[in-house]
Amino acid sequence: MLISLKDICFGYSQDTVIEHVNMEINEGDYIGMIGPNGGGKSTIIKIIMGLLKPWSGKFEIGTKQDGEAVKIGYLPQYQLFDKSFPITVQEVIMSGLMGTHNNLFRFNKQQKEETETLINTLGLESVEKQSIGELSGGQMQRVFLGRALISNPDLLILDEPVTYVDNKFENEMYELLQQINKRTAILLVSHDVGQIVSFVKTIACVNHYLHYHPSNKISEDILASYDCPIELITHGKVPHRVLHNHPHHD
């Protein structure tokens, strides 16, 4: 077990955002978390990352065989930075190691070699010495993904990772994530199941409550419970659209 949430409730002021949320993330998982804006996806991410303390329930982060706590890598939806700041692709990626050692901006040979390997894996070898401000949107997302991966996390959380990229890079990004998933569990957050259903292994629908579907398909059994044919699936108070094609009978 990497992450466990048991009967989690949380809100802001007097407004409850999520309640009775149960979720477990294990090695090898590739979970697509979907739901409407305001449904609670970001709140769950912040709880997992330790930024929020639940009102009630139990949150646990696992321990590896060597006794170390599970490491989490995070790629946020928005990346705010000064494009004129003189920092290279290589330096941005290596900045993800800052919390893993005590010597500021001093990296050992192994870390430098691992950075080069990751740069090649991400297809950034031709721009690694360029300033971050010279890159395209797709290239920048690869760089920030590299920063999230350089510390070898056990769990990678991605919040709407293809919001600002073109369709070509979107497909490349998902193919790359499938390779990453061979060694790292992934929690991919999106507002649209149609965008991710072909890539993830399981789906968690979050809309005040969390409903877990143990596959990447919205099955006939699930659809039957909503009286298919449908255009909207409702979990909780706010309906959200599901764009995945599915068979139905007249």
Side-chain angles (χ1 to χ4, degrees):
M1 181 272 292
L2 301 178
I3 298 292
S4 174
L5 296 91
K6 297 180 180 179
D7 204 28
I8 296 293
C9 298
F10 183 83
Y12 303 93
S13 298
Q14 301 300 316
D15 298 324
T16 302
V17 176
I18 56 172
E19 56 182 314
H20 305 302
V21 167
N22 292 281
M23 183 181 187
E24 190 169 288
I25 304 176
N26 296 291
E27 292 182 6
D29 280 352
Y30 191 166
I31 302 172
M33 181 180 287
I34 63 170
N37 292 333
K41 302 189 303 297
S42 295
T43 297
I44 291 175
I45 291 176
K46 290 177 181 179
I47 289 173
I48 291 174
M49 295 181 65
L51 301 176
L52 294 175
K53 183 178 180 180
W55 282 353
S56 61
K58 186 176 182 181
F59 167 68
E60 291 182 282
I61 185 165
T63 303
K64 296 184 290 185
Q65 292 183 348
D66 59 7
E68 291 187 5
V70 167
K71 290 191 292 186
I72 299 175
Y74 177 54
L75 179 64
Q77 180 177 3
Y78 302 106
Q79 297 281 356
L80 300 177
F81 66 97
D82 183 355
K83 290 188 176 182
S84 65
F85 187 75
I87 187 170
T88 67
V89 167
Q90 182 189 58
E91 291 167 341
V92 171
I93 292 176
M94 294 189 76
S95 71
L97 292 168
M98 295 293 289
T100 62
H101 58 87
N102 297 322
N103 296 323
L104 189 65
F105 289 118
R106 294 181 181 178
F107 304 100
N108 60 40
K109 181 179 179 181
Q110 180 181 347
Q111 290 170 325
K112 292 177 181 178
E113 290 176 349
E114 290 176 350
T115 300
E116 288 303 311
T117 299
L118 183 55
I119 285 172
N120 292 333
T121 300
L122 295 169
L124 294 168
E125 60 272 14
S126 64
V127 296
E128 66 174 305
K129 299 299 183 182
Q130 287 188 26
S131 170
I132 188 72
E134 300 174 12
L135 304 184
S136 67
Q139 288 173 324
M140 282 192 286
Q141 278 295 74
R142 286 177 184 262
V143 173
F144 293 126
L145 176 60
R147 184 178 65 179
L149 288 171
I150 191 60
S151 61
N152 296 313
D154 304 288
L155 170 64
L156 176 64
I157 300 176
L158 304 108
D159 189 359
E160 305 281 2
V162 295
T163 301
Y164 300 108
V165 301
D166 57 36
N167 290 335
K168 179 179 182 297
F169 174 75
E170 179 179 329
N171 292 329
E172 292 175 354
M173 181 76 152
Y174 286 130
E175 290 173 0
L176 179 60
L177 291 176
Q178 286 182 305
Q179 296 301 312
I180 292 170
N181 183 232
K182 293 178 180 179
R183 60 183 185 277
T184 305
I186 297 176
L187 175 61
L188 173 60
V189 180
S190 177
H191 67 282
D192 182 5
V193 67
Q195 193 178 47
I196 64 174
V197 70
S198 298
F199 304 97
V200 301
K201 296 175 181 176
T202 58
I203 294 173
C205 301
V206 179
N207 194 358
H208 193 70
Y209 301 96
L210 185 149
H211 298 258
Y212 184 71
H213 306 304
S215 77
N216 67 342
K217 305 297 182 184
I218 304 297
S219 69
E220 291 186 18
D221 290 340
I222 294 171
L223 290 170
S225 68
Y226 296 107
D227 192 21
C228 179
I230 59 171
E231 184 178 56
L232 297 174
I233 286 181
T234 302
H235 291 322
K237 302 175 182 177
V238 183
H240 58 278
R241 187 182 303 270
V242 174
L243 300 178
H244 177 57
N245 291 328
H246 59 274
H248 62 270
H249 305 287
D250 294 328

